[in-house]
Amino acid sequence: MANIKANITELRQLLDITPAGHNLMLVGNHGIGKSEILTSYFSQKGMTVVALFLGQMSDPGDLIGLPRKNEQTGKTDFMPPYWFPVDGKPVVLFLDELNRARPEILQTIMDLALNRRLAGRALPEGSRVIAAVNEGDQYQLTDLDPALVSRFNIVQFVPTAQEWLLWAKKAELDQRVIDFIQEDPIWLDKNPDAREGADTGLDKTPDRRAWKRVSDIIKLHHQLGGVFSKAISSIVGVKAAAAFLSSVSSRKILSGREVLSAFEKHRSTREG
């Protein structure tokens, strides 16, 4: 991949200087927070982000709306789809899974990317079109037409582990998850022992979204034996779970929540 790379800070800067009339394509793995970053950025500017998962659409009608007969003209037009901004306010269309879409869906996107129109209906002035695509042999992907690709500014989105750690602290993820990734950030997005191209699609591997789910499960529990090992393994994979639990076992650090909620129980641990 020869495209330029940008972390979260750089992506925000690129969005600041890129005109609304330019289309942007973010290239990256699943679970790295593309939609969350965009929603956060544009919500601060008072804009609504409409996420359309193109890989789930089976027909162009899912995107452009259903046809109907116009009784006044006798011609066929299309009812606006549920997401279309009929109030005239600009929106951000986030076209997720662009390279998982069916070819007939991609043909519809061509007009949207070039003319900001769908079935003859124009997006409000100031609207943005941002697409996201996955890369790698582990995904089942649709080849994109070079004519479509040429209508996008392409950025390989590579958020840093430090940026995720800052987010995790702000979001109050379990401190044990934060400490583990801080110690060994290679586990944040992948299993470092995995061979390239070895993913079958069913093998669980860690990603940023998965570590948030781990935090959700363990946050109120001090002891992580028994079924917790299986639960964590089901989220990030067996090897990542083993490395995480080993790190937790070696640390034996109590979270602030645990100390405050059960001070008497843990006082001997802290004084020992």
Side-chain angles (χ1 to χ4, degrees):
M1 178 62 66
N3 296 307
I4 64 103
K5 296 181 179 181
N7 57 34
I8 294 175
T9 300
E10 293 166 332
L11 176 60
R12 288 178 176 271
Q13 293 171 344
L14 285 170
L15 291 170
D16 285 338
I17 66 173
T18 302
H22 287 208
N23 306 316
L24 185 66
M25 182 184 294
L26 303 181
V27 182
N29 292 330
H30 65 281
I32 59 176
K34 296 185 285 292
S35 60
E36 291 87 349
I37 297 302
L38 293 175
T39 299
S40 172
Y41 174 86
F42 286 108
S43 64
Q44 293 174 5
K45 298 182 177 300
M47 294 185 70
T48 299
V49 177
V50 179
L52 301 176
F53 297 94
L54 303 186
Q56 300 176 10
M57 294 184 175
S58 59
D59 183 89
D62 295 336
L63 186 63
I64 64 177
L66 296 176
R68 68 176 179 183
K69 180 180 179 181
N70 187 316
E71 297 297 338
Q72 294 180 337
T73 65
K75 297 181 180 180
T76 298
D77 58 18
F78 290 84
M79 297 179 64
Y82 74 93
W83 57 266
F84 196 88
V86 294
D87 58 2
K89 295 181 180 179
V91 297
V92 180
L93 280 188
F94 179 50
L95 308 178
D96 204 1
E97 303 177 341
L98 181 68
N99 59 342
R100 291 174 180 257
R102 294 172 178 267
E104 55 268 29
I105 300 292
L106 293 177
Q107 290 300 317
T108 304
I109 296 299
M110 292 278 279
D111 189 32
L112 177 63
L114 181 62
N115 302 313
R116 300 301 175 90
R117 302 179 70 86
L118 278 175
R121 188 180 295 109
L123 289 176
E125 188 70 24
S127 293
R128 287 177 175 262
V129 176
I130 300 178
V133 300
N134 296 130
E135 64 169 344
D137 295 336
Q138 68 269 39
Y139 302 108
Q140 295 180 356
L141 305 176
T142 303
D143 291 335
L144 297 179
D145 191 308
L148 177 60
V149 173
S150 71
R151 298 176 186 183
F152 288 86
N153 303 350
I154 300 180
V155 175
Q156 190 169 14
F157 183 45
V158 188
T160 66
Q162 187 59 38
E163 288 173 327
W164 184 87
L165 286 166
L166 290 173
W167 169 84
K169 292 173 184 177
K170 186 176 180 181
E172 298 183 345
L173 265 64
D174 189 277
Q175 190 62 42
R176 291 165 291 185
V177 171
I178 295 173
D179 290 341
F180 174 64
I181 298 301
Q182 197 154 24
E183 276 185 349
D184 202 354
I186 190 65
W187 288 101
L188 179 58
D189 292 308
K190 63 180 182 179
N191 171 7
D193 299 323
R195 292 179 291 105
E196 290 296 327
D199 186 6
T200 66
L202 293 177
D203 297 327
K204 287 301 296 184
T205 55
D207 59 53
R208 296 162 194 240
R209 204 160 41 202
W211 287 115
K212 168 63 168 60
R213 297 203 299 271
V214 169
S215 175
D216 292 341
I217 286 180
I218 71 173
K219 199 164 189 178
L220 298 179
H221 302 276
H222 176 56
Q223 300 295 332
L224 300 183
V227 72
F228 283 97
S229 175
K230 291 182 180 292
I232 296 168
S233 296
S234 73
I235 299 172
V236 296
V238 174
K239 288 188 176 181
F244 170 68
L245 292 170
S246 175
S247 172
V248 170
S249 178
S250 66
R251 280 179 167 272
K252 299 294 185 183
I253 291 179
L254 300 174
S255 70
R257 184 190 297 272
E258 291 167 331
V259 172
L260 290 174
S261 64
F263 178 76
E264 290 300 326
K265 175 182 177 182
H266 297 301
R267 179 161 56 180
S268 60
T269 302
R270 300 299 294 168
E271 294 175 346

